[in-house]
Amino acid sequence: MSKVRVRFAPSPTGPLHLGGARTALYDYLFAKNKGGDFVLRIEDTDTTRFVEGAEDYIMEALEWCGIIPDESPKHGGPYGPYRQSERRDIYDRYTEAILKTDYAYMAFDTAEELDAIRSEYEARGEVFSYDNKTRNTLRNSISLSEEEVQQLLDAKTPFVVRFKMPFDRTLNLEDIIRGKFSVNTNVLDDKVLVKNDGMPTYHFANIIDDHEMKITHVIRGEEWLPSMGLHVLLYEAMGWEAPEFAHLSLILKPEGKGKLSKRDGDKFGFPVFPLDFKDPVTGVVSKGYREEGYLPEAFVNFLALLGWSPADDKEILSLEDMTKEFDLYKVHKAGARFSKEKAEWFNHQYLQKKSDTELMKMLKASTPNVDVVSEASLLKVIGLMKERATFPKDIYENGKFFFEAPTTYDEKALKKAWNDETPALMSELANLLQNLEVFEANPIKEAVHHFTEEKGLGMGKVMMPLRLSLVGELKGPDVPDIIEILGKEESVARIQNAVKNIH
Ligand code: GLU
């Protein structure tokens, strides 16, 4: 068997959405599982939909995920160029070749003529299709005589090349994920293969490139399933062996019905793109997982499981583990429901695996406010707070009191924790802390316990107002840990402030 070669073939029409990123991931996992090559090809023949920056975005998103192409416009390779806009001479050769077969013809109908026919059909409540039933009534090299065609060509009349869909043939197709199915050619139209400027359309360029680049497996989104019949016939027309096909099901909305859209992301507050993308025309920024605080390992892991389950229903898998286990035959036929909670769960899991030092780097990058405390203190805060964090920034948000003294005190907590005796008690405690020599959580804890016992008070009577003075509310990790990290000066100042300001 020839070496497995899989391509990801996005069009640079905007940022890669989750579905596209998952296609790229499955392309990569399948190729690598088989010891094959993963190719990135940019399908930019439709210049009207080209978006500045989209190609760089796609490359950067793949790199962030750790999906590095073996061949691409950036990496080069033996089958380049890898941008369709640079392959015109190759397409020209094959345009000439297919016109010599009985599978293609030249069509001279102008856009205005076709619009007029479409309107006539619409007026009768019908839909016009350029196909094996109508082509004889239209202006093309099948309906016109050889002389008429020659005259049109001599007059340099623009024409498109159309595929001549065979009449009433049943195509027996096979998809790796969906199994066998049949299509009758009478439901397919005569697609344009080459536009009147000589540039091939997606269908023609796609099969030429897949053949030229020796692609063995076409793994792509299910929106291309209706094109599979045409593509198989195009391979037949060119006398080439078709690759195998696998069409991936959709990623569905969180409620389970319909394709996940950017609007769902805005509505439920999660990104649908791997990285932030700034629209070059409108300047509008679409949110990305990277900027939201997702770790690439978590992103890739949850993405892979949207549509595929590894053996034993394992959930935490590295890209390497997934590469070993990936099986296209086990990819689900049904759509995969996106869950924000699940995505966050994965991020939480991966965040716990990071060392405190790594988290410190991330936290400093996302939340520069943390720089008000020393690195040594920051590392302690991270150690205490990471267990409850999903994103690096949660460490700051849940532990804001480490970085800023409270300026207000929670009303409800005040009622519960503060009474007439509290100010005197807290002042005494502040003094006690001031005189403590070893300022670490354990001695602090012992000192506070001792103080409480001596006073014959219950623990809550001292711990609650103490916490309130330090944090501003009744939350956070153990009080002695908080005091150690804040340090003597800051802790004492906060307690004195509370005594002064709470009435
Ligand atoms: N350029 C197509 C897209 O962006 C590729 C489809 C295919 O993989 O054949 O979806």
Side-chain angles (χ1 to χ4, degrees), residues 212-489:
E212 285 266 318
M213 295 181 179
K214 297 199 164 39
I215 299 302
T216 57
H217 295 78
V218 169
I219 307 167
R220 61 186 172 192
E222 73 170 18
E223 66 273 25
W224 299 108
L225 191 62
S227 302
M228 186 176 159
L230 169 66
H231 292 185
V232 166
L233 285 170
L234 277 170
Y235 283 102
E236 180 185 297
M238 302 304 289
W240 298 334
E241 195 190 331
E244 289 195 55
F245 290 92
H247 289 90
L248 306 171
S249 295
L250 293 175
I251 299 182
L252 304 174
K253 295 175 185 298
E255 62 263 32
K257 279 216 178 86
K259 184 179 170 184
L260 181 74
S261 71
K262 185 168 154 353
R263 238 177 298 144
D264 299 311
D266 295 339
K267 187 164 134 202
F268 297 105
F270 59 82
V272 295
F273 303 112
L275 321 176
D276 273 5
F277 181 74
K278 186 168 173 198
D279 187 298
V281 179
T282 62
V284 173
V285 176
S286 302
K287 278 188 171 188
Y289 279 85
R290 180 178 66 184
E291 290 76 8
E292 194 72 6
Y294 277 85
L295 303 167
E297 307 91 300
F299 177 75
V300 163
N301 197 156
F302 88 71
L303 198 59
L305 300 196
L306 284 172
W308 168 62
S309 324
D312 314 326
D313 285 331
K314 266 198 292 296
E315 290 201 288
I316 300 291
L317 294 104
S318 66
L319 195 58
E320 212 186 329
D321 298 335
M322 291 191 268
T323 301
K324 276 191 204 123
E325 286 210 30
F326 190 72
D327 183 351
L328 206 45
Y329 286 88
K330 292 210 178 114
V331 167
H332 310 160
K333 229 184 280 180
R337 191 176 67 83
F338 176 83
S339 157
K340 180 187 176 202
E341 292 69 36
K342 198 75 202 188
E344 288 180 350
W345 179 84
F346 274 104
N347 212 52
H348 175 81
Q349 297 297 316
Y350 278 95
L351 201 77
Q352 304 314 308
K353 292 176 186 244
K354 293 281 170 199
S355 72
D356 293 353
T357 319
E358 281 173 297
L359 286 175
M360 181 165 75
K361 258 197 229 143
M362 286 182 223
L363 189 56
K364 276 173 174 263
S366 69
T367 319
N369 303 17
V370 298
D371 279 338
V372 297
V373 303
S374 70
E375 291 204 343
S377 297
L378 188 52
L379 283 172
K380 284 188 194 167
V381 173
I382 290 168
L384 277 183
M385 303 302 288
K386 81 171 176 195
E387 206 180 299
R388 271 170 279 184
T390 298
F391 302 108
K393 64 174 188 274
D394 293 345
I395 296 173
Y396 173 74
E397 265 150 33
N398 299 336
K400 228 182 200 147
F401 49 89
F402 285 113
F403 310 97
E404 287 167 33
T407 50
T408 57
Y409 302 92
D410 183 64
E411 282 291 331
K412 247 181 156 174
L414 270 179
K415 276 205 188 96
K416 202 166 151 196
W418 208 269
N419 60 33
D420 291 346
E421 286 97 63
T422 317
L425 211 57
M426 287 300 110
S427 294
E428 235 183 286
L429 199 56
N431 273 339
L432 188 145
L433 292 174
Q434 183 72 57
N435 295 323
L436 206 63
E437 261 166 39
V438 185
F439 212 75
E440 283 167 10
N442 270 335
I444 293 169
K445 190 171 167 182
E446 273 165 33
V448 177
H449 277 211
H450 189 68
F451 173 80
T452 313
E453 265 164 32
E454 263 192 351
K455 298 273 170 203
L457 294 169
M459 261 330 238
K461 279 261 178 297
V462 175
M463 279 304 186
M464 277 203 293
L466 185 53
R467 182 185 288 282
L468 193 61
S469 309
L470 300 165
V471 176
E473 44 189 328
L474 295 178
K475 65 164 205 188
D478 284 350
V479 171
D481 288 323
I482 300 178
I483 296 177
E484 177 189 318
I485 293 174
L486 290 177
K488 188 184 277 183
E489 204 182 320

Side-chain angles (χ1 to χ4, degrees), residues 169-173 181-185 188 229-230 232-233 236:
R169 246 182 78 184
T170 299
L171 305 174
N172 293 314
L173 306 175
F181 63 102
S182 312
V183 180
N184 186 284
T185 52
L188 303 175
L230 169 66
V232 166
L233 285 170
E236 180 185 297

Side-chain angles (χ1 to χ4, degrees), residues 7-13 23 27 41-44 49 84 202 206 210 218-221 223-224 231 245 247:
R7 88 305 193 271
F8 177 52
S11 300
T13 54
T23 300
D27 284 335
R41 180 174 74 229
I42 298 294
E43 300 209 325
D44 56 353
R49 296 183 60 220
Q84 288 190 326
Y202 154 72
N206 187 269
D210 282 348
V218 169
I219 307 167
R220 61 186 172 192
E223 66 273 25
W224 299 108
H231 292 185
F245 290 92
H247 289 90

Side-chain angles (χ1 to χ4, degrees), residues 46-274:
D46 188 353
T47 46
T48 59
R49 296 183 60 220
F50 179 82
V51 171
E52 193 65 48
E55 182 187 319
D56 287 343
Y57 177 97
I58 292 166
M59 197 62 234
E60 195 180 338
L62 295 184
E63 275 171 10
W64 180 65
C65 292
I67 308 175
I68 310 298
D70 298 296
E71 298 162 30
S72 77
K74 185 175 161 186
H75 300 88
Y79 301 98
Y82 293 90
R83 257 182 225 109
Q84 288 190 326
S85 55
E86 294 163 16
R87 298 173 63 80
R88 175 70 190 263
D89 53 331
I90 301 170
Y91 304 137
D92 284 351
R93 256 183 12 240
Y94 289 119
T95 300
E96 220 174 283
I98 199 165
L99 275 172
K100 291 204 178 105
T101 72
D102 196 28
Y103 285 93
Y105 60 93
M106 292 177 275
F108 298 93
D109 322 83
T110 63
E112 293 75 32
E113 284 167 355
L114 291 176
D115 281 346
I117 296 170
R118 242 175 244 124
S119 305
E120 274 171 38
Y121 271 68
E122 262 168 40
R124 294 200 302 268
E126 291 171 24
V127 180
F128 170 71
S129 163
Y130 207 124
D131 58 22
N132 54 25
K133 291 173 284 303
T134 58
R135 74 168 81 97
N136 274 319
T137 66
L138 297 154
R139 290 207 310 135
N140 53 56
S141 55
I142 295 175
S143 64
L144 301 172
S145 69
E146 250 176 67
E147 294 75 47
E148 285 170 310
V149 171
Q150 198 49 55
Q151 270 172 16
L152 287 167
L153 291 178
D154 290 344
K156 301 246 177 299
T157 315
F159 64 88
V160 300
V161 177
R162 285 186 180 268
F163 187 68
K164 187 177 163 197
M165 190 53 74
F167 182 71
D168 198 20
R169 246 182 78 184
T170 299
L171 305 174
N172 293 314
L173 306 175
E174 185 162 3
D175 180 277
I176 294 176
I177 296 166
R178 284 141 208 279
K180 293 188 171 150
F181 63 102
S182 312
V183 180
N184 186 284
T185 52
N186 287 356
V187 303
L188 303 175
D189 61 351
D190 288 0
K191 281 269 181 293
V192 173
L193 300 179
V194 183
K195 291 175 276 188
N196 62 15
D197 62 0
M199 247 343 232
T201 57
Y202 154 72
H203 299 290
F204 198 39
N206 187 269
I207 68 110
I208 291 171
D209 289 343
D210 282 348
H211 170 75
E212 285 266 318
M213 295 181 179
K214 297 199 164 39
I215 299 302
T216 57
H217 295 78
V218 169
I219 307 167
R220 61 186 172 192
E222 73 170 18
E223 66 273 25
W224 299 108
L225 191 62
S227 302
M228 186 176 159
L230 169 66
H231 292 185
V232 166
L233 285 170
L234 277 170
Y235 283 102
E236 180 185 297
M238 302 304 289
W240 298 334
E241 195 190 331
E244 289 195 55
F245 290 92
H247 289 90
L248 306 171
S249 295
L250 293 175
I251 299 182
L252 304 174
K253 295 175 185 298
E255 62 263 32
K257 279 216 178 86
K259 184 179 170 184
L260 181 74
S261 71
K262 185 168 154 353
R263 238 177 298 144
D264 299 311
D266 295 339
K267 187 164 134 202
F268 297 105
F270 59 82
V272 295
F273 303 112

